[in-house]
Amino acid sequence: MRGGEVSGLGFEFATATRILFGAGRMAEAPEVIRSLAGGRILIVTGSTPSRAAPLREGLDRLGLSTVVFRVEGEPTLELVREGTATAIAAGCDGVVALGGGSVLDAGKAIAALAANGGDPLDYLEVIGRGRPLTQPSVPLVAIPTTAGTGSEVTRNAVLGSKEARVKASLRSPLMLPRVALVDPDLLAGAPNAVLSSSGLDALSQLIEPFVCSRANPLTDALAREGIRRSARSLRRAVLEELGAPEREDLALASLFGGLCLANAGLGAVHGFAAPVGGMFHAPHGAVCASLLPATLEVNLRALRSRAPSHPAVSRFQEVAALLTGRTEASAEEGIAWVRELCQALSVPGLGHYGLTQAEVPLLVEKARAASSMKANPLVLTDEELSEIALRSL
């Protein structure tokens, strides 16, 4: 059922308890954290822990002690086990995740497991036991330093398993952060490669929920605004200037993408991205960027062929208008706009990360089982899924 286009509309919308957005709001973080936890704080950071030094100093002035846990690369089951053990051993009663999507996902998983006990596989989807979490996470403040995943407002954490060669989600409304603090100024100085891959990830997380089978009026409104902001600022931010207006647009696009995916769903781009990330050492945002043009084209062709009256068909045209700024733009022109953007930003194909034609059947099998695939506008055949993978090489 699609919001606004059929009778019997119903949906759920859940997000972080508080969202604080704006340039300079990082200065408020110590007081915000103290309001949630009064003892020792686990600060989950990326590969450069020194970035958290000002925050640690601010917390120290307020009488809160801190323990730092570093996340290098995308989070795995082993890393989350280690982080949870660190939090419990140190007696941490609050968690702050300061970094990109991998850091935020790791922080959410650690906060959940510290409160619920057990192993990640007890709760993990697809490859785990899938048991529900029963206790709210340890109070968590999520502070993104990139603009891509929107993980600061989502209810899941994507974890990689080296043994299964796949990524799967730990998912529960109880994992939502208490506070999402989004300061666009934290994007200043971000490398172009990070801006590009994370920005295209955000764009895919706005387009996919807008055309997916679970769209609703709230996510539609956020997606429209996010797509518009991404379209006007991503190329400029990467290729020309990352000024204050561009930082704000990219941060909002990422935030809105997170709200959309958490409350509507995604599709084949992310259905593929999870197994690709598990099979190869490939950054999530860059994988989504590689997959986006072919996935849009195959989805649109399948809709027109098998479900020409499907509401998503007109949604593709609306996406084109938002991307190009021309109300008369066709769906094909919108897809061409996305493909040209990926070329301009030098997005590598999946072959760059090691995928070969011989591994496409295995990838298709894994992608079909991915949770994100369930909200694709329609069920794609194995031949269509294979085409997406081959064209994204």
Side-chain angles (χ1 to χ4, degrees), residues 51-382:
R51 234 186 140 172
L55 176 61
R56 297 187 73 188
E57 292 166 4
L59 292 171
D60 182 64
R61 286 193 294 270
L62 295 177
L64 276 70
S65 60
T66 56
V67 177
V68 172
F69 182 74
R70 187 165 71 175
V71 174
E72 295 192 50
E74 300 196 349
T76 62
L77 299 179
E78 294 78 7
L79 181 137
V80 166
R81 290 178 182 126
E82 181 185 350
T84 303
T86 299
I88 293 172
C92 295
D93 61 357
V95 176
V96 177
L98 173 67
S102 294
V103 171
L104 300 188
D105 276 10
K108 287 192 292 185
I110 290 167
L113 291 168
N116 284 269
D119 187 79
L121 284 173
D122 292 334
Y123 312 103
L124 208 65
E125 298 175 347
V126 182
I127 61 171
R129 299 173 186 89
R131 296 174 183 167
L133 297 173
T134 59
Q135 300 298 318
S137 295
V138 170
L140 170 67
V141 177
I143 308 173
T145 59
T146 61
T149 65
S151 185
E152 66 273 11
V153 289
T154 63
R155 64 182 85 186
N156 70 302
V158 180
L159 309 179
S161 167
K162 295 177 182 177
E163 294 78 15
R165 294 185 72 204
V166 73
K167 291 180 179 179
S169 281
L170 183 65
R171 189 187 310 272
S172 170
L174 297 174
M175 293 175 61
L176 285 164
R178 300 287 182 90
V179 177
L181 192 155
V182 184
D183 185 341
D185 284 350
L186 296 179
L187 300 179
N192 281 352
V194 172
L195 288 173
S196 174
S197 62
S198 61
L200 286 165
D201 185 19
L203 182 59
S204 70
Q205 291 174 175
L206 292 160
I207 294 175
E208 285 206 291
F210 190 67
V211 302
C212 83
S213 60
R214 303 174 187 163
N216 66 69
L218 259 176
T219 57
D220 286 350
L222 292 166
R224 289 185 180 101
E225 181 66 15
I227 292 169
R228 188 180 295 111
R229 287 177 179 268
S230 177
R232 76 186 183 193
S233 288
L234 178 53
R235 181 192 299 256
R236 178 173 170 80
V238 176
L239 300 180
E240 299 177 37
E241 178 186 9
L242 181 62
E246 290 77 26
R247 294 196 298 268
E248 182 174 275
D249 276 351
L250 296 187
L252 274 175
S254 177
L255 173 64
F256 291 173
L259 292 167
C260 288
L261 76 89
N263 291 286
L266 289 163
V269 169
H270 284 79
F272 273 113
V276 169
M279 293 168 67
F280 306 98
H281 185 67
H284 173 77
V287 170
C288 290
S290 301
L291 288 158
L292 185 57
T295 303
L296 292 175
E297 189 166 341
V298 171
N299 259 323
L300 179 61
R301 190 183 68 219
L303 284 164
R304 285 181 169 164
S305 172
R306 300 200 297 277
S309 61
H310 195 290
V313 175
S314 63
R315 292 288 180 113
F316 272 83
Q317 191 279 324
E318 189 174 351
V319 167
L322 291 167
L323 291 172
T324 65
R326 295 186 295 107
T327 57
E328 74 280 6
S330 67
E332 286 80 5
E333 287 176 306
I335 295 171
W337 188 98
V338 171
R339 184 179 297 105
E340 196 279 327
L341 175 64
C342 290
Q343 292 170 350
L345 300 186
S346 301
V347 172
L350 297 180
H352 176 77
Y353 304 107
L355 180 68
T356 65
Q357 289 190 25
E359 290 170 298
V360 166
L362 175 61
L363 174 59
V364 166
E365 179 185 346
K366 288 176 176 285
R368 185 170 291 290
S371 58
S372 293
M373 194 68 78
K374 296 175 183 177
N376 201 62
L378 78 173
V379 177
L380 297 175
T381 66
D382 284 351

Side-chain angles (χ1 to χ4, degrees), residues 24-36:
R25 298 207 74 160
M26 185 63 188
E28 302 173 35
E31 287 286 358
V32 168
I33 294 163
R34 184 171 68 167
S35 72
L36 298 174

